[in-house]
């Protein structure tokens, strides 16, 4: 991580990098091979070989002339080998100005003196850091020297108000959505973000997802963590999901980004390497991930955080001063590709002129004294203007743009002269977003004060703004997070955001932490007249997609499971598609009562797909304002002899729902009608599903006067026990590679397509540490206690210096700083009896690594173990937050550890687990969601 910057910008720590980091120097990086680099006189590019000694050194200096009237100089220097710790020094003539040395291989020096830059010659010299972290031949470097007088331009002062006018309601039908969740299947992978080489559940680590619809093939791509998932929507209404990971999605990475070019169908995937050396790894595909082309890093080097990619036509304007002429570019690829990211002192953007194979120099868009580091995603308008939204330029959310293909940049605040876009004041805030329609109109989406869903429109590239409205007011939204935007034909655009109708307050808590009592929904607002009027839809009307707080900004709190953004796009028929992460997946969380405390803390890949209403492309608008309903989205929980069903209906077809049919079967695909319900009922309790030997399968069909929906995706309700004897929260599948060998691969299978996992080496089996299942009970015989059980292969002998742990997320109402509890069995010296304990888990304080530290509450808990491998520990509810009936214990995970030493026996690090149940840190990446709803210590039927 960079430190000691003159203008520090806090870099976000994403969930993908909250795990043990090792061997950064062994990660593959691809150096710059910029064959089609931008080369205007300003910015000027330079290169050389530095003397591996500190300043003053023998490196040949670079001299540049700066004309009068400039506000700042920006020097960006990058070592060809990212591990080389260099420093850059700026002089005016022979007069020393300063040295930039932040301890890494790429440095950004910003010189911004009061009164402006004195014109004349300036010298740049690159040397080694006085205390280098690493130096390795060759000592080559490349760089850019830039000067500018860019200022934040505004014709009127900013008038901030927490309450923007409610968006005028659009005439016409509402827009409906269907929700599609990634299937709960294990997918073989070469790497996970925790550093392991085995399997993971598909789409269950959907941190900060990006989504794209290929207008050539119709296939939808969804990127999160190290997975690139390609989704096809079939005639049955259901979706098929397949993971075709880009070869450059490698451990240890952060901020995964996917972007597509509508015109060409090319899809780009990029990953940052945490956090030093700052490198980015990019691949592109022209066939929906069947083959990938890995390329160089995105410019001279990437910056530390907030990467974004986009592409589109080159801008041409021969009447501009100076004239804007498209640069020479590849005859085989028509469009420009942009890669942008945030450094500590500046935000940088580079351009590729050969379809993303190579990139030119990284050009500063702004520096830290102009704008904060948190920018949104780059978009290219139909005329080639390049836009990036920023949450805070001189105190106002702003548009940063280039009208000369990324060579120079301007900053224009979002200000109608009646209202201005105020950055969020909740937490560290969040990024704004933008989209441009076919006419070049800009739609800017932002969280106003963090409490309003703001939109504004500009028809002159941000010089003036109009129609600044709150598109969440129709639903009484009082908290907003992570807006995102897309557009289509002239006048048509859509913005999506996470919103809560609960306001912050003394009784409702803070929406940024675990004290918050509200729930969150996914909302999508649409305009068909250039932002004059809007129609907003709740895409998750009956089931929240997050309970409790939603952290805005960096950190490793449990309420940061959804990280910092999500994405929206349109397909080739103008449907809006929202790629989001469901933080409240599964029956227990989605069906919990409004007053329930806790959350599932899932990160489940989900797509909300438009199923009715006008499209973003007018030629595909439906011919009638009404239609049959959309498919319901169904969840289940089977508890104590009852299967509880509930469903979202986010598309009524603009007609009243007349009835729901619940179908049931005891084999997959063989469901028949079980019950018909009224159109207002979206829950059903099946009290006849009493055969413990059977799994029951369910579907739901919605009806209105236009017809019936397609059947919902089938849900299975296996028997998993009772709350008296134990509800099985997670059972490791037999095809989980660690389930038969108890080993972790230390070398990834070769090739971009995962190879079969090797057979465990002889003698590697450790059944005492292999988890079969974990369960939670509230035994009537022990009122006020939970009983946590872990079943492993066997415990005929106890390995010494080992731990068997079950952990869960729950933040007490009276102690919100406590977020994770654990319980388990511990062995120490050979032959000594085991210890049963429970306590709390918290971040051990290692930068950029989620290393958890155990703090015991009791080491004399009541517990037992049996030779058959069953471990049970009784934990008083009063000692672990005193959860009430209806509350949720989330992200319940099992893990086993061996080889403890006095220095490690209280630490939990994902790369040291012998076995685990797919809980990464404090988020739930398992299937089904590992959540327990507190029922009370009651007698079971």
């Amino acid at each position: 991580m960079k430190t000691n910057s003159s203008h520090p910008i806090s870099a976000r720590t994403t969930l993908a990098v909250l795990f043990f980091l090792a061997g950064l120097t062994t990660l593959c990086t691809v150096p710059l091979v910029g064959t089609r680099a931008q080369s205007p006189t300003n910015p000027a590019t330079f290169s050389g070989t530095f003397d591996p000694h500190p300043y003053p050194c023998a490196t040949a200096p670079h001299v540049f002339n700066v004309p009068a009237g400039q506000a700042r100089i920006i020097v960006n220097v990058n070592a060809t080998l990212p591990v080389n710790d260099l420093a850059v020094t700026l002089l005016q003539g022979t007069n020393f100005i300063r040295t930039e040395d932040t301890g890494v291989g790429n440095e950004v020096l910003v010189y911004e003196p009061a009164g402006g830059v004195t014109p004349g010659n300036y010298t740049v010299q690159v040397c080694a850091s006085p205390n280098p972290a690493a130096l390795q031949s060759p000592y080559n470097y490349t760089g850019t020297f830039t000067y500018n007088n860019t200022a934040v331009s505004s014709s009127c002062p900013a008038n901030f108000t927490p309450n923007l006018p409610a968006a005028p309601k659009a005439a016409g039908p509402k827009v409906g959505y269907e929700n599609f969740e990634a299937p709960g299947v294990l997918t073989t992978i070469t790497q996970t973000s925790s550093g392991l080489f085995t399997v993971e559940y598909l789409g269950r680590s959907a941190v900060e997802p990006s989504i794209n619809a290929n207008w050539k093939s119709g296939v939808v791509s969804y990127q999160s963590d190290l997975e690139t998932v390609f989704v096809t929507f079939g005639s049955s209404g259901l979706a098929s999901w397949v993971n075709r990971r880009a070869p450059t999605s490698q451990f240890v990475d952060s901020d995964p980004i996917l972007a597509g070019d509508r015109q060409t169908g090319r899809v780009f995937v990029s990953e940052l390497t945490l956090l030093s050396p700052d490198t980015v790894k990019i691949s592109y595909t022209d066939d929906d991930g069947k083959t990938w082309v890995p390329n160089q890093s995105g410019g001279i080097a990437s910056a530390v955080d907030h990467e974004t990619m986009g592409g589109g036509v080159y801008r041409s304007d021969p009447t501009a001063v100076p004239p804007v002429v498209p640069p020479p570019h590849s005859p085989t690829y028509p469009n420009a590709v942009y890669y942008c990211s945030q450094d500590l002192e500046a935000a940088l953007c580079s351009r590729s002129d050969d379809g993303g194979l190579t990139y030119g120099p990284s050009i500063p868009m702004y520096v830290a004294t102009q704008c904060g580091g948190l920018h949104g995603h780059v978009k290219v308008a139909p005329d080639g203007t390049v836009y990036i939204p920023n949450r805070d330029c001189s105190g106002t959310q702003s548009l940063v743009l280039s009208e000369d293909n990324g060579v120079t940049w301007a900053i224009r605040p979002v200000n109608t002269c009646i209202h201005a876009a105020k950055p969020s004041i909740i937490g560290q805030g969040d990024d704004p977003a933008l989209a441009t329609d076919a006419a070049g109109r800009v739609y800017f989406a932002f969280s106003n004060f963090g409490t309003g869903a703001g939109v504004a429109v500009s028809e002159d590239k941000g010089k003036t703004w109009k129609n600044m409205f709150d598109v969440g007011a129709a639903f009484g939204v009082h908290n907003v997070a992570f807006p995102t935007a897309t557009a289509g034909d002239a006048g048509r655009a859509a913005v999506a955001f996470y919103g809560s109708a609960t306001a912050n307050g003394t009784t409702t808590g803070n929406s940024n932490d675990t004290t918050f009592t509200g729930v969150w929904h996914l909302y999508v607002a649409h305009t068909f007249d250039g932002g004059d009027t809007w129609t907003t839809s709740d895409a998750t009307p009956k089931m929240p997609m997050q309970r409790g707080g939603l952290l805005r900004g960096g950190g490793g709190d449990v309420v940061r499971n959804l990280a910092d953004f999500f994405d929206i796009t349109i397909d080739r028929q103008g449907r809006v598609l929202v790629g989001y992460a469901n933080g409240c997946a599964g029956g227990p969380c989605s069906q919990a009562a409004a007053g329930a405390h806790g959350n599932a803390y899932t990160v489940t890949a989900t797509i909300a797909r438009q199923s009715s209403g006008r499209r973003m492309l007018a030629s595909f608008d439906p011919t009638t304002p009404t239609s049959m309903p959309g498919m319901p989205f169904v969840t289940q929980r089977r508890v104590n002899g009852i299967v509880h069903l509930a469903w979202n209906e986010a598309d009524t077809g603009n007609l009243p729902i007349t009835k729901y049919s619940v179908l049931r079967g005891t084999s997959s695909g063989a469901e028949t009608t079980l019950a018909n319900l009224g159109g207002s009922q979206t829950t059903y309790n099946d009290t006849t599903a009493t055969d413990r030997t059977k799994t029951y399968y369910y579907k739901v069909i919605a009806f209105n006067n236009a017809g019936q929906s397609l059947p919902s995706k089938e849900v299975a309700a296996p028997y998993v026990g009772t709350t008296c004897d134990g509800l099985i929260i997670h059972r490791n599948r037999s095809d989980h590679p660690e389930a038969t060998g108890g080993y972790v691969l230390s070398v990834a299978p070769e090739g971009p397509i995962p190879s079969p996992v090797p057979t465990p080496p002889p003698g590697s089996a450790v059944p005492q540490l292999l988890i079969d299942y974990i369960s939670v009970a509230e035994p009537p015989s022990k009122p006020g206690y939970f009983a946590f059980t872990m079943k492993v292969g066997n415990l005929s002998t106890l390995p010494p210096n080992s731990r068997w742990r079950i952990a869960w997320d729950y933040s007490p109402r009276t102690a919100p700083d406590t977020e994770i509890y654990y319980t388990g069995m511990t062995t120490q010296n050979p032959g000594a009896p085991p210890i049963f304990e429970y306590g709390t888990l918290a971040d051990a304080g290692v930068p950029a690594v989620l290393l958890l530290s155990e703090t015991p509450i009791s080491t004399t808990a009541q517990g037992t173990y049996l030779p058959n491998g069953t471990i049970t520990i009784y934990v008083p509810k009063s000692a672990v937050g005193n959860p009430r009936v209806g509350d949720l214990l989330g992200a319940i995970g099992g893990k086993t550890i061996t080889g403890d030493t006095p220095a490690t026996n209280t630490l939990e690090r994902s790369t040291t687990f012998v076995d685990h149940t797919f809980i990464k840190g404090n988020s739930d990446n398992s299937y089904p969601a590992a959540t327990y709803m507190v029922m009370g210590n009651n007698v079971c039927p």
Side-chain angles (χ1 to χ4, degrees):
M1 180 179 291
K2 292 191 171 184
T3 56
N4 301 323
S5 170
S6 300
H7 304 289
I9 297 174
S10 176
R12 301 177 303 171
T13 305
T14 65
L15 291 180
V17 300
L18 294 176
F19 300 92
F20 175 59
L21 310 184
L24 280 178
T25 57
T26 68
L27 293 177
C28 175
T29 60
V30 185
L32 175 74
V33 193
T35 59
R36 293 186 174 89
Q38 305 149 330
S39 55
T41 56
N42 178 42
T45 60
F46 59 93
S47 61
T49 302
F50 69 89
D51 174 17
H53 296 91
Y55 177 83
C57 65
T59 306
H62 305 275
V63 180
F64 306 92
N65 183 263
V66 177
Q70 305 305 308
R72 63 191 61 82
I73 292 171
I74 308 166
V75 183
N76 179 24
V77 179
N78 301 274
T80 303
L81 291 180
V83 297
N84 277 334
D85 186 358
L86 51 72
V88 58
T89 299
L90 179 67
L91 306 93
Q92 184 180 15
T94 59
N95 296 323
F96 175 86
I97 295 177
R98 70 183 182 88
T99 295
E100 186 76 8
D101 178 15
T102 60
V104 293
N106 63 300
E107 300 289 352
V108 178
L109 184 152
V110 178
Y111 176 52
E112 198 170 24
V117 175
T118 302
N121 289 336
Y122 288 79
T123 299
V124 172
Q125 189 173 35
V126 180
C127 305
S129 171
N131 299 293
L135 287 175
Q136 180 180 334
S137 179
Y139 305 115
N140 299 333
Y141 63 88
T142 53
T144 58
F145 182 95
T146 307
Y147 54 82
N148 65 51
N149 60 356
T150 303
V152 178
S153 61
S154 181
S155 59
C156 53
N159 178 35
F160 299 121
T161 175
N163 299 312
L164 297 174
K169 184 178 179 180
K174 297 277 288 184
V175 179
Y177 285 85
E178 296 174 333
N179 287 276
F180 299 84
E181 187 176 276
V185 297
L186 288 174
T187 178
T188 304
I189 53 173
T190 56
Q191 295 192 6
T192 73
S193 57
S194 62
L196 306 181
F197 304 97
T198 56
V199 295
E200 65 185 5
Y201 281 98
L202 182 68
R204 259 53 191 187
S205 186
V207 179
E208 299 181 343
S210 304
I211 192 171
N212 174 71
N214 188 331
W215 283 25
K216 297 288 187 181
S217 67
V219 175
V220 174
S221 47
Y222 185 112
Q223 175 74 31
S224 62
D225 199 24
L226 304 185
E227 291 184 356
T228 311
V229 180
F230 292 88
V231 186
T232 302
F233 293 93
S235 58
S236 66
L238 302 180
S240 62
W241 303 62
V242 59
N243 180 27
R244 301 189 187 114
R245 180 188 65 87
T248 46
S249 293
Q250 302 168 350
F251 175 70
V252 173
D253 287 337
S254 65
D255 270 11
I257 293 293
L258 175 145
D261 188 323
R262 290 179 183 174
Q263 181 179 347
T264 67
R266 181 164 290 182
V267 176
F268 304 87
V269 168
S270 62
E271 299 265 5
L272 283 174
T273 299
L274 172 82
L275 270 173
S276 173
D278 294 335
T279 55
V280 62
K281 299 179 287 293
I282 304 174
S283 296
Y284 66 77
T285 177
D286 292 322
D287 56 8
D288 298 321
K290 295 173 185 175
T291 59
W292 290 93
V293 178
N295 57 35
Q296 69 157 72
S297 68
I300 289 179
S302 73
V304 70
D305 198 13
H306 266 63
E307 66 173 352
T308 177
M309 291 193 73
V313 301
Y314 291 93
R315 187 164 189 271
S316 177
D317 186 357
T319 65
V321 181
V324 177
V325 179
H329 54 277
S330 170
T332 61
Y333 197 84
N335 293 342
V337 180
Y338 294 91
Y339 174 86
C340 310
S341 56
Q342 160 220 323
D343 213 307
L344 296 177
E345 294 204 43
L348 311 169
C349 202
S350 58
R351 191 188 70 226
S352 172
D353 296 326
D354 54 11
L357 187 62
T358 62
Y359 290 77
S362 299
I363 306 301
M365 297 183 290
Y366 54 81
V367 298
T369 55
Q370 299 173 291
C371 301
L374 299 184
H375 61 69
H377 295 307
V378 63
K379 300 291 179 69
V380 181
D383 72 343
T385 301
V386 187
Y387 294 103
I388 282 189
N390 188 283
R391 69 174 298 268
D392 188 350
C393 296
S394 299
T396 304
Q397 304 206 49
S398 298
L399 194 66
V400 182
L401 72 153
S402 173
E403 297 184 79
D404 55 7
N405 301 303
V407 177
T408 61
W409 296 81
I411 303 167
R412 294 172 182 165
V414 181
N415 185 355
T416 67
C417 295
I418 300 174
H419 303 287
K422 173 71 174 179
S424 172
I425 59 174
I426 297 177
Q428 297 178 20
D430 46 16
D431 307 340
L434 65 87
T436 60
D437 67 20
R441 187 181 286 108
V442 178
Y443 303 85
F444 192 95
F446 61 99
S447 57
N448 187 55
F449 282 80
T451 57
V455 294
V457 177
S458 177
E459 296 176 342
D460 55 9
K461 303 185 179 184
K463 295 176 183 176
T464 61
W465 294 88
K466 66 175 185 177
N467 293 344
M468 187 175 290
F469 299 130
D470 182 349
V471 294
F475 284 90
V477 171
H478 292 291
N479 273 287
V480 171
F482 315 149
T484 184
T486 190
D489 285 346
R492 299 194 173 204
V495 301
F497 56 93
Y498 298 156
S500 176
T502 301
N504 299 321
T506 55
T507 59
T508 56
N510 183 342
S511 66
N512 205 54
D513 62 34
T514 60
T515 63
F516 191 54
T517 62
V519 299
W520 299 79
H521 288 249
L522 171 68
Y523 296 96
V524 191
H526 319 75
T527 183
F528 303 96
D529 54 14
D532 292 340
T533 62
W534 294 81
T535 179
T536 302
S537 302
D538 183 348
T540 57
K542 295 296 183 180
M543 298 180 185
M545 41 72 59
Q546 176 84 347
R547 289 183 177 274
L550 184 57
L551 184 67
R552 275 83 100 200
D557 292 9
V558 295
V559 292
R560 195 163 184 259
N561 56 312
L562 302 185
D564 296 321
F565 60 83
F566 64 104
D567 202 9
I568 188 172
T569 191
I570 63 173
D571 67 16
R572 60 185 177 182
Q573 294 182 327
R575 297 182 190 87
V576 175
L577 297 104
V578 183
Y580 70 102
N582 186 357
C584 186
C589 188
S590 64
Q591 298 179 24
H597 189 66
N599 188 39
Y601 302 105
T602 49
V603 200
T604 301
T606 313
I607 296 174
R609 183 177 186 246
Q610 183 181 351
S611 49
S612 68
R614 287 173 287 178
R615 308 276 183 94
M616 291 294 104
L617 302 178
S619 60
F620 293 98
D621 281 350
T623 57
T624 61
T626 60
S627 62
M628 65 184 66
M631 286 189 302
F633 178 82
V634 184
T635 65
Q636 68 79 29
R637 57 187 183 94
R638 186 174 179 179
V639 181
N640 296 344
I642 301 174
V643 176
H644 303 271
L645 300 174
W647 52 91
N648 259 326
E649 181 55 72
D651 180 9
T652 67
N654 287 290
L655 289 169
I657 299 295
T658 56
K659 75 170 182 177
Y660 290 105
S661 286
V662 178
L663 284 66
R664 188 186 76 179
T666 54
S667 60
S668 178
E671 294 89 355
T672 58
T673 301
L674 173 67
N676 289 308
L677 312 174
S680 62
Q681 185 172 341
T682 55
T683 62
Y684 180 75
N685 294 330
D686 183 2
T687 58
T688 64
T690 56
D691 190 335
R692 296 185 176 189
T693 67
K694 297 185 183 300
T695 294
Y696 292 90
Y697 298 87
Y698 296 89
K699 294 180 181 179
V700 176
I701 301 174
F703 293 78
N704 66 14
N705 286 336
Q708 68 181 62
S709 72
L710 292 171
S712 66
K713 180 182 177 181
E714 182 182 78
V715 295
Y719 178 74
V720 291
T722 70
T723 60
C724 296
D725 303 318
L727 280 180
I728 294 177
I729 301 300
H730 185 90
R731 185 188 294 274
N732 272 345
R733 286 174 40 169
S734 59
D735 54 349
H736 170 203
E738 294 164 13
T740 56
Y743 70 100
V744 175
L745 295 178
S746 59
V747 178
E750 296 181 357
I753 303 301
S755 304
V757 176
T759 301
S764 66
V766 280
Q768 298 93 333
L769 299 168
L770 296 181
I771 300 171
D772 179 8
Y773 66 82
I774 56 174
S775 70
V776 182
E778 297 173 81
S781 61
K782 295 190 72 64
Y785 278 77
F786 290 120
F788 291 92
T789 296
M790 175 184 289
K791 173 67 171 63
V792 296
N794 70 67
L795 290 171
S796 55
T797 60
L798 293 181
N801 301 313
S802 299
R803 282 176 285 164
W804 296 257
R805 292 292 185 259
I806 299 174
W808 65 95
D809 293 351
Y810 184 80
S811 184
R813 293 172 171 85
T814 56
D817 291 338
T818 298
E819 297 184 336
I820 312 176
Y821 290 96
Y822 80 93
T823 188
M825 183 174 77
T826 303
T827 59
Q828 297 174 335
N829 297 326
I835 294 170
F836 299 97
E837 62 184 271
Y838 55 86
T840 60
L841 287 171
D843 191 339
V846 178
V849 179
L850 188 55
L851 179 64
L852 297 175
S853 178
E854 300 175 356
T855 300
I857 296 173
S858 172
T859 57
T860 58
Q862 303 174 53
T864 62
Y865 77 93
L866 298 174
N868 70 359
T870 303
I871 303 169
T872 301
I873 305 102
Y874 298 93
V875 178
K877 297 177 181 179
S878 60
V880 290
N882 204 22
R884 304 171 186 172
V885 171
D887 283 358
L888 302 170
L889 310 185
I892 305 172
K895 47 213 166 183
T896 56
I897 305 166
T898 194
D900 275 342
T901 69
T904 66
N905 60 15
T906 62
L907 301 178
E908 295 187 7
R909 180 180 295 167
S910 60
T911 51
T912 65
F913 299 158
V914 177
D915 200 4
H916 64 102
T917 59
F918 300 94
I919 303 296
K920 294 181 182 177
N922 49 24
S923 294
D924 184 355
N925 311 108
S926 64
Y927 178 83
T931 310
Y932 179 81
M933 180 187 290
V934 179
M935 302 293 288
N937 297 78
N938 304 310
V939 176
C940 296

